[in-house]
Amino acid sequence: VLIYKRKLSRVQGKVALSNNFSFSILLLALFVAMLSLTVSALRLRSEKHLAQAFKARQKSDWKTTIREIDLAESFFYHIDQVSTPLRWYRGLANFNLNNTQDALFDFKQAYSYNPYHVHVLNNMGTCYEMAGNYTEAIDCFQKAVALSPAFDEARFNLCASYYNSGNGTKAYFELRKIDHKKMLVKYNQFLNIVLSSALKVMQDTADEDTKNQINRVWNSEGWMNQVHFKSMENNTSLEKQLILDLIYASETIEKDTAEANGLKAKYSVIL
């Protein structure tokens, strides 16, 4: 009887442990289910407000856009279905309202949620550029074009930041990477400014005779642009193409063989 009672007690203990474990599992499952339902409900609410923000954005109703984004954003919803942080939309709205500092704050927040979003980087860089913080602006634009080398808008902005910071050589270097056929008008606007800066750098390091030669090209905008595009087509440096054009002009147009031979001798290293 004692042996039976001991066995029965052990069986009852195991059953009690099993029941407690099952109850714990049930509570955990209920908790997970409730949490999942709560998160789903919050995300659904956020998506509805985000849809309203998109509608307001299409109408350029920036204040409503900001209000709807604020209602959409939550602990469980920072990024939309295409990996764009909600703060980016808010930043764009503030930017269009000329609230540059608020826009920069929003773009920084967006960057913390997705540091690989090229438009976040580009817009954040634009705010830094407008504030005169060229170092931070250049860093943002460099990251953007590193992620997407064909992102010409960011490349233009990088070019502008280099130019505004006083580095015309790097500005011209970045301009050469842009496909001018895609954005011809904007490209030509940049070209006339940046190319003159690049030629100025060349002129500052040249002797008097070479300066005069460079001036011949510089004073003719059409010729200056032709030199640039030919250097791109021939995959050669601007300096080399400039000398080749001067040699051609001396030999063919001016019939000055001595001048042409002098240029060949002087620049034999780069030719």
Side-chain angles (χ1 to χ4, degrees), residues 180-198:
H180 69 279
K181 295 177 183 178
K182 292 181 181 178
M183 307 172 76
L184 187 59
V185 175
K186 189 173 184 179
Y187 188 93
N188 286 335
Q189 290 173 346
F190 270 69
L191 179 61
N192 293 333
I193 298 171
V194 175
L195 188 53
S196 294
S197 179

Side-chain angles (χ1 to χ4, degrees), residues 10-259:
R10 289 175 183 173
V11 170
Q12 289 174 337
K14 289 180 179 179
V15 170
L17 285 173
S18 178
N19 288 337
N20 288 338
F21 180 74
S22 297
F23 183 70
S24 297
I25 292 296
L26 179 61
L27 284 178
L28 180 60
L30 286 172
F31 174 76
V32 171
M34 290 297 295
L35 180 62
S36 178
L37 286 171
T38 301
V39 171
S40 296
L42 289 172
R43 287 184 65 86
L44 181 61
R45 174 180 175 274
S46 294
E47 287 175 1
K48 287 181 179 179
H49 284 295
L50 183 59
Q52 292 301 315
F54 286 163
K55 290 180 181 178
R57 181 186 171 203
Q58 289 177 344
K59 298 175 183 177
S60 298
D61 184 355
W62 305 117
K63 290 183 179 180
T64 301
T65 301
I66 291 172
R67 184 172 65 250
E68 292 296 333
I69 289 295
D70 287 342
L71 291 170
E73 194 173 35
S74 71
F75 179 80
F76 301 104
Y77 198 79
H78 293 298
I79 297 177
D80 69 10
Q81 294 179 347
V82 292
S83 300
T84 298
L86 270 60
R87 281 285 172 148
W88 180 72
Y89 300 112
R90 194 180 196 279
L92 283 181
N94 269 315
F95 187 85
N96 281 284
L97 289 170
N98 295 319
N99 300 330
T100 310
Q101 287 299 319
D102 291 338
L104 178 58
F105 179 80
D106 288 331
F107 292 138
K108 284 181 177 180
Q109 289 292 107
Y111 177 76
S112 70
Y113 297 133
N114 185 356
Y116 305 107
H117 197 293
V118 292
H119 291 289
V120 169
L121 288 163
N122 184 50
N123 293 130
M124 187 162 61
T126 300
C127 289
Y128 279 126
E129 166 74 24
M130 292 177 68
N133 190 342
Y134 302 122
T135 300
E136 291 294 339
I138 288 169
D139 181 61
C140 290
F141 297 138
Q142 283 178 332
K143 288 176 180 177
V145 297
L147 289 168
S148 180
F151 188 15
D152 287 339
E153 184 180 345
R155 186 82 66 183
F156 273 122
N157 288 335
L158 178 58
C159 174
S161 286
Y162 275 132
Y163 179 81
N164 291 332
S165 66
N167 197 329
T169 301
K170 284 190 175 181
Y172 177 70
F173 180 75
E174 292 301 328
L175 189 68
R176 288 177 67 93
K177 298 178 183 179
I178 299 172
D179 183 358
H180 69 279
K181 295 177 183 178
K182 292 181 181 178
M183 307 172 76
L184 187 59
V185 175
K186 189 173 184 179
Y187 188 93
N188 286 335
Q189 290 173 346
F190 270 69
L191 179 61
N192 293 333
I193 298 171
V194 175
L195 188 53
S196 294
S197 179
L199 287 173
K200 178 70 165 56
V201 172
M202 291 171 56
Q203 192 179 49
D204 288 343
T205 57
D207 56 39
E208 196 61 33
D209 182 55
T210 303
K211 285 181 182 179
N212 293 332
Q213 295 287 356
I214 292 174
N215 276 333
R216 293 173 61 193
V217 178
W218 196 348
N219 293 330
S220 173
E221 185 178 297
W223 190 2
M224 183 172 70
N225 291 359
Q226 286 178 22
V227 170
H228 163 74
F229 286 117
K230 279 194 283 188
S231 74
M232 295 285 291
E233 184 180 346
N234 298 330
N235 195 26
T236 188
S237 69
L238 178 67
E239 183 180 13
K240 181 177 179 179
Q241 189 62 56
L242 175 63
I243 300 304
L244 289 171
D245 262 48
L246 288 170
I247 291 171
Y248 176 82
S250 297
E251 286 181 334
T252 308
I253 301 173
E254 298 163 3
K255 308 297 183 181
D256 190 341
T257 306
E259 179 68 28

